[in-house]
Amino acid sequence: MSASAVFILDVKGKPLISRNYKGDVAMSEIEYFMPLLMQREEEGALSPLLNHGRVHFLWIKHSNLYLVATTLKNSNASLVYSFLYKTVEVFSEYFKELEEESIRDNFVIVYELLDELMDFGFPQTTDSKILQEYITQQGNKLETGKSRVPPTVTNAVSWRSEGLKYKKNEVFIDVIESVNLLVNANGSVLLSEIVGTIKLKVFLSGMPELRLGLNDRVLFELTGRSKNKSVELEDVKFHQCVRLSRFDNDRTISFIPPDGDFELMSYRLSTQVKPLIWIESVIEKFSHSRVEIMVKAKGQFKKQSVANSVEISVPVPSDADSPRFKTSVGSAKYVPEKNVVIWSIKSFPGGKEYLMRAHFGLPSVEKEEVEGRPPIGVKFEIPYFTVSGIQVRYMKIIEKSGYQALPWVRYITQSGDYQLRTS
């Protein structure tokens, strides 16, 4: 069971549009939502689920809008929130930016979409590519692109259209890992995790079945293989096209893919990650005159790999001025509105070490120093490399016509929330 009704409210709590799917919740109940939210906010007890009498309000905020689902039942909250975020995703696909103005300008199409997204409280077609086949938009006007609902909507495979044809059948697989890291001033790693996604770009004819093989530790244990080069995946989430029962039985990732771009799966690994780019900094402050900052960056990944588009953000005092820089590689610039120096390095090979020196003037009357200094942030991207060691072992493509298809695989490691604290 999901929602009884869905409302979209402006930032003041005024309903812009509403859709009652079951009729068991009075539409006037939404009047209690905003006062309740403001009261909880003042009390410091704000939560994503608010109650008024028998009515439960499950809400999210996006831009200057509130999306609120109401229910009287003990509904599956995760399903309701997934639906609300999916609704935001669909509207963003249609209107580029989801905000109050786009709702007002596209009232009719929003109402049509809400009709298709849910029926009698249950989510229905939530794939924007399929919705765009029969709810099309020209300017701000609704136009029925096809007089009948495409068979895709009523198929078991609602995420893929029939009759697709390509001259060249190809699948592009991107394995992207983001490294979240927090290092304290003593150099100890306080937090480290890897968040990975496997994204596909599919150009395949017909209705193919794909099977993806990874060096999954549980699979290796089931089949009696050596666990040496395997990876233990946690918090695995799949696109709806994946046959979950098959995965639960024998860890086979089997699916009929949507056409074009989509995210097949995501995973997380809580593991001790050695910092890929290590930063050391020394800050020398000369009272009432200047501050000098020396930053050393070292690539702690394998020598044959190269980090691209490296950006190191070094915090500086808010009252600093007259910046001067000297770098052994790349360039540095002062961003006064953020009180940081950004050191940019286009190409950073593994095992290399680089220096940046910054010199700032300080006013004769100093501001009182706020306790604590913001951490140094690092952004980077390392192609052809994964921290976890995850590998695509195979991609089998089975289609009744028997055509040959080419799978292409690319690995990328990038920075997530990557911060190093300074003393």
Side-chain angles (χ1 to χ4, degrees), residues 181-198:
L181 187 82
L182 180 61
V183 178
N184 70 9
N186 300 326
S188 303
V189 176
L190 302 178
L191 167 78
S192 71
E193 68 171 2
I194 300 164
V195 178
T197 56
I198 298 181

Side-chain angles (χ1 to χ4, degrees), residues 175-232:
V175 181
I176 302 166
E177 290 191 340
S178 297
V179 179
N180 295 332
L181 187 82
L182 180 61
V183 178
N184 70 9
N186 300 326
S188 303
V189 176
L190 302 178
L191 167 78
S192 71
E193 68 171 2
I194 300 164
V195 178
T197 56
I198 298 181
K199 296 182 178 180
L200 269 63
K201 190 179 279 191
V202 176
F203 303 108
L204 295 174
S205 306
M207 199 65 78
E209 180 178 332
L210 275 59
R211 288 178 197 160
L212 178 69
L214 303 172
N215 56 335
D216 175 11
R217 183 162 298 172
V218 178
L219 173 65
F220 278 31
E221 286 172 354
L222 285 171
T223 53
R225 293 194 186 108
S226 166
K227 295 187 288 182
N228 288 348
K229 291 188 177 180
S230 62
V231 174
E232 189 169 354

Side-chain angles (χ1 to χ4, degrees), residues 86 89 127 129 159-160 171-174 176 197-204 210 212 238-242 253 255-265 395:
K86 195 70 187 175
E89 192 180 308
D127 191 305
K129 287 178 186 172
W159 53 85
R160 185 177 178 88
V171 180
F172 297 90
I173 307 164
D174 279 347
I176 302 166
T197 56
I198 298 181
K199 296 182 178 180
L200 269 63
K201 190 179 279 191
V202 176
F203 303 108
L204 295 174
L210 275 59
L212 178 69
F238 289 110
H239 186 275
Q240 64 177 358
C241 66
V242 175
I253 303 170
F255 57 99
I256 295 171
D259 189 46
D261 296 306
F262 74 103
E263 186 178 297
L264 176 68
M265 63 180 282
M395 168 66 86

Side-chain angles (χ1 to χ4, degrees), residues 5 28 45 81 86 92 119 123 169 207 216-217 259 278 294 322 332 381 387:
S28 58
Y81 287 116
K86 195 70 187 175
S92 298
D119 187 29
N169 292 290
M207 199 65 78
D216 175 11
R217 183 162 298 172
D259 189 46
W278 181 255
M294 191 273 286
S322 313
E381 188 175 280
V387 193

Side-chain angles (χ1 to χ4, degrees), residues 3-227:
S4 298
V6 171
F7 300 84
I8 300 177
L9 315 177
D10 66 16
V11 76
K12 294 178 181 175
K14 183 181 175 185
L16 298 172
I17 197 164
S18 59
R19 182 70 179 89
N20 199 338
Y21 294 102
K22 296 185 67 189
D24 59 349
V25 176
M27 301 301 272
S28 58
E29 290 285 350
I30 197 64
E31 293 171 11
Y32 299 103
F33 169 73
M34 205 64 190
L36 194 58
L37 183 139
M38 292 174 76
Q39 181 191 333
R40 292 288 173 85
E41 199 167 15
E42 283 173 16
E43 293 168 355
L46 190 60
S47 73
L49 194 152
L50 303 172
N51 301 309
H52 179 263
R54 293 170 57 232
V55 180
H56 308 294
F57 299 104
L58 296 91
W59 63 279
I60 63 171
K61 189 176 183 185
H62 179 84
S63 188
N64 57 352
L65 299 172
Y66 290 97
L67 282 81
V68 186
T70 59
T71 180
L72 295 177
K73 307 280 184 182
N74 184 18
S75 297
N76 182 337
S78 61
L79 176 63
V80 177
Y81 287 116
S82 294
F83 174 78
L84 291 175
Y85 282 111
K86 195 70 187 175
T87 301
V88 169
E89 192 180 308
V90 169
F91 287 170
S92 298
E93 284 282 329
Y94 268 83
F95 314 132
K96 303 302 177 200
E97 293 291 334
L98 176 58
E99 51 191 30
E100 184 180 336
E101 192 178 342
S102 57
I103 296 293
R104 292 188 187 280
D105 289 349
N106 298 280
F107 180 84
V108 179
I109 200 167
V110 169
Y111 213 90
E112 282 284 323
L113 287 168
L114 287 174
D115 266 353
E116 296 298 335
L117 287 164
M118 184 176 278
D119 187 29
F120 199 69
F122 293 93
Q124 300 295 311
T125 308
T126 57
D127 191 305
S128 57
K129 287 178 186 172
I130 302 304
L131 287 165
Q132 283 168 0
E133 286 188 20
Y134 63 103
I135 299 179
T136 59
Q137 183 191 24
Q138 187 174 8
N140 297 326
K141 295 178 185 176
L142 174 69
E143 178 188 293
T144 49
K146 295 183 180 178
S147 56
R148 62 185 180 85
V149 173
T152 318
V153 175
T154 51
N155 276 357
V157 184
S158 62
W159 53 85
R160 185 177 178 88
S161 302
E162 291 181 357
L164 292 168
K165 287 185 180 177
Y166 288 99
K167 286 183 179 178
K168 194 175 183 182
N169 292 290
E170 293 179 305
V171 180
F172 297 90
I173 307 164
D174 279 347
V175 181
I176 302 166
E177 290 191 340
S178 297
V179 179
N180 295 332
L181 187 82
L182 180 61
V183 178
N184 70 9
N186 300 326
S188 303
V189 176
L190 302 178
L191 167 78
S192 71
E193 68 171 2
I194 300 164
V195 178
T197 56
I198 298 181
K199 296 182 178 180
L200 269 63
K201 190 179 279 191
V202 176
F203 303 108
L204 295 174
S205 306
M207 199 65 78
E209 180 178 332
L210 275 59
R211 288 178 197 160
L212 178 69
L214 303 172
N215 56 335
D216 175 11
R217 183 162 298 172
V218 178
L219 173 65
F220 278 31
E221 286 172 354
L222 285 171
T223 53
R225 293 194 186 108
S226 166
K227 295 187 288 182

